[in-house]
Amino acid sequence: MLTLKQIKENTEAVIERLRKKQFEAREAITEVLNFDEIRRRSQQELDASLSRQKALAKEIGDLMKQGAKEQAESIRSQVALLKEASKSLEEKKAEAEAKIREILLSVPNLPADIVPEGATAEDNVCVKTGGEMPALDATAEPHWELAKDYDLIDFELGVKISGAGFPVYKGYGARLQRALINFFLDNAREAGYLEVQPPYVVNEDSGYGTGQLPDKEGQMYHATVDNLYLIPTAEVPVTNIYRDVILEEKDLPVRNTAYSACFRREAGSYGKDVRGLNRLHQFDKVEIVCIDKPERSYQRLDEMVAYVETLVTKLELPWRILRLSGGDMSFTSALTYDFEVFSAAQKRWLEVSSVSNFESYQANRLRCRYRDAEQGVQLVHTLNGSALALPRIVAALLENNQTPEGIRIPEALRPYTGFDFIPRPTKK
């Protein structure tokens, strides 16, 4: 969340920058400043009261030494009144601090200066493209038909077991999933990311720490009896490893990677764009997380974007990188680059990765800091990226590589699949 220092030192600039995210912040920021004034005045009065109590305690001691008990008792009654007033001031200060936190949790992160203006995905800016567009003939099928023809993914069986959006992968389909997960993890490890295996459920503190709560509460599966949330991405548990941690400067940057299943309710999603693997409630993803000093975080972002580019290139997919506009960015991000791959049979671009710098926004919520040799304890910057999300990668791989002999596997993936082709099934 934003810090009070950011808001107090640059009030109008904060309000103006949040407009780029289509967020009208003046009312919330004004409330924060008003509660901060209440907090500050309460603290001043509390300090004065405690100082007065200390002085009176000394005076009582001196009077008792002199045998002036009656006078000392009179002053003790004043101290009692001051203590009662101090208790009230403590409560007033705590209430103001709680209100400040409550409001700040509802205010999104500030967008970076280079974030494009705009309200929707139509305003995103394409910054780079690569790969070759496949040439498919008129008989080319979308991935949901290929999945059925080749018996790779059973969407109807998933509906029977769980509901829509929970597919069952079978045979070559399951092996392709496992191959991609291992391919992404191995590449991340070779690029310097430490592999971790996190829990798939998190508590409320973890959800608030990375900003899924309260912003995305309705999109998360909630196990109400234990008050735990199924993770929407491994970013949540992995970043929360560093909640309430002070890192040493010499240990930065921290780089982690993790595979997890991801769970998203995706409430309100419907229509042709959610067919097949295009939008699921459960899917697999490998995540990369980086934590570093503020002055190096945008260098790290560029490195992470370049790394994801190597993955889509190795998979021989046509790709493009978009810099998201203010209105299309997430609540917590300061700058986001989306990777999309072209799905030839659907004739559309599919998002497969978001790589974001959150600056100090998550770190402030997480109380994740580092010890600077000159400036003392400071907030870190946090970053994360999908490297990669599997469903739409699988969709594009199946569609773009369909041939008369079967579905071709990209060369870089073959050591992981153990096969070069998914053979075309013989008709019975």
Side-chain angles (χ1 to χ4, degrees), residues 147-165:
K148 184 176 180 180
D149 294 345
Y150 284 77
D151 198 24
L152 305 174
I153 308 167
D154 195 323
F155 295 100
E156 293 180 5
L157 184 56
V159 172
K160 171 188 172 182
I161 297 169
S162 304

Side-chain angles (χ1 to χ4, degrees), residues 31-45 89 91-97 99-100:
E31 275 194 281
V32 166
L33 293 174
N34 288 342
F35 280 115
D36 183 55
E37 180 60 24
I38 293 169
R39 180 201 63 79
R40 191 182 62 80
R41 283 202 311 269
S42 298
Q43 185 64 63
Q44 287 174 344
E45 291 176 28
L89 287 168
E91 291 172 354
K92 190 175 182 181
K93 176 174 155 259
E95 286 173 7
E97 288 171 344
K99 289 299 293 183
I100 289 169

Side-chain angles (χ1 to χ4, degrees), residues 271-282:
K272 64 181 179 63
D273 290 343
V274 303
R275 287 198 69 178
L277 297 172
N278 289 344
R279 194 172 296 276
L280 301 176
H281 295 305
Q282 178 185 321

Side-chain angles (χ1 to χ4, degrees), residues 30 36 42 97 117 120 126 146 170 190 229 278 427:
T30 300
D36 183 55
S42 298
E97 288 171 344
E117 298 280 354
T120 68
C126 182
L146 292 168
K170 302 163 64 178
E190 289 165 10
Y229 292 85
N278 289 344
K427 292 184 179 180

Side-chain angles (χ1 to χ4, degrees), residues 234-255:
E235 169 207 345
V236 182
V238 174
T239 310
N240 270 278
I241 291 171
Y242 305 97
R243 175 157 46 91
D244 295 318
V245 170
I246 299 177
L247 297 159
E248 296 302 324
E249 187 175 3
K250 64 180 176 60
D251 296 327
L252 297 175
V254 168
R255 292 186 178 96

Side-chain angles (χ1 to χ4, degrees), residues 202 204 217 220-230 265:
V202 294
E204 271 189 353
E217 186 167 9
M220 295 173 73
Y221 286 100
H222 187 193
T224 55
V225 173
D226 297 306
N227 196 26
L228 295 172
Y229 292 85
L230 276 66
R265 292 188 61 241

Side-chain angles (χ1 to χ4, degrees), residues 85-346:
S86 293
K87 184 180 176 183
S88 177
L89 287 168
E90 286 275 16
E91 291 172 354
K92 190 175 182 181
K93 176 174 155 259
E95 286 173 7
E97 288 171 344
K99 289 299 293 183
I100 289 169
R101 179 172 173 78
E102 179 186 333
I103 296 165
L104 288 180
L105 285 172
S106 70
V107 176
N109 196 5
L110 300 177
D113 291 338
I114 64 169
V115 169
E117 298 280 354
T120 68
E122 300 300 317
D123 302 305
N124 296 339
V125 176
C126 182
V127 296
K128 194 173 183 181
T129 61
E132 293 184 14
M133 290 288 189
L136 300 183
D137 61 34
T139 62
E141 294 183 304
H143 70 271
W144 52 86
E145 295 295 344
L146 292 168
K148 184 176 180 180
D149 294 345
Y150 284 77
D151 198 24
L152 305 174
I153 308 167
D154 195 323
F155 295 100
E156 293 180 5
L157 184 56
V159 172
K160 171 188 172 182
I161 297 169
S162 304
F166 295 90
V168 175
Y169 297 86
K170 302 163 64 178
Y172 282 104
R175 292 170 66 185
L176 179 59
Q177 287 283 113
R178 178 159 48 89
L180 282 165
I181 292 165
N182 288 333
F183 172 72
F184 293 145
L185 284 173
D186 283 354
N187 274 265
R189 191 174 63 253
E190 289 165 10
Y193 292 89
L194 175 70
E195 184 177 347
V196 296
Q197 192 172 58
Y200 290 0
V201 294
V202 294
N203 55 30
E204 271 189 353
D205 286 344
S206 294
Y208 277 100
T210 45
Q212 279 68 35
L213 298 176
D215 180 56
K216 293 289 187 294
E217 186 167 9
Q219 295 296 333
M220 295 173 73
Y221 286 100
H222 187 193
T224 55
V225 173
D226 297 306
N227 196 26
L228 295 172
Y229 292 85
L230 276 66
I231 61 170
T233 164
E235 169 207 345
V236 182
V238 174
T239 310
N240 270 278
I241 291 171
Y242 305 97
R243 175 157 46 91
D244 295 318
V245 170
I246 299 177
L247 297 159
E248 296 302 324
E249 187 175 3
K250 64 180 176 60
D251 296 327
L252 297 175
V254 168
R255 292 186 178 96
N256 289 144
T257 186
Y259 156 74
S260 78
C262 303
F263 304 89
R264 301 183 185 180
R265 292 188 61 241
E266 300 287 6
S269 297
Y270 59 91
K272 64 181 179 63
D273 290 343
V274 303
R275 287 198 69 178
L277 297 172
N278 289 344
R279 194 172 296 276
L280 301 176
H281 295 305
Q282 178 185 321
F283 60 94
D284 293 318
K285 180 154 70 81
V286 172
E287 194 79 0
I288 53 175
V289 170
C290 183
I291 297 173
D292 206 350
K293 298 167 65 173
E295 59 265 32
R296 296 197 300 232
S297 69
Y298 278 93
Q299 175 190 342
R300 299 299 172 224
L301 180 66
D302 291 342
E303 291 170 357
M304 293 168 77
V305 169
Y307 168 68
V308 175
E309 182 182 320
T310 68
L311 298 179
V312 289
T313 300
K314 287 178 180 179
L315 291 175
E316 303 172 30
L317 293 168
W319 53 267
R320 67 181 185 181
I321 305 173
L322 305 177
R323 184 185 298 136
L324 298 196
S325 68
D328 198 35
M329 286 171 64
S330 75
F331 184 86
T332 51
S333 176
L335 178 63
T336 295
Y337 289 99
D338 270 8
F339 277 78
E340 295 181 339
V341 296
F342 192 71
S343 183
Q346 296 181 72

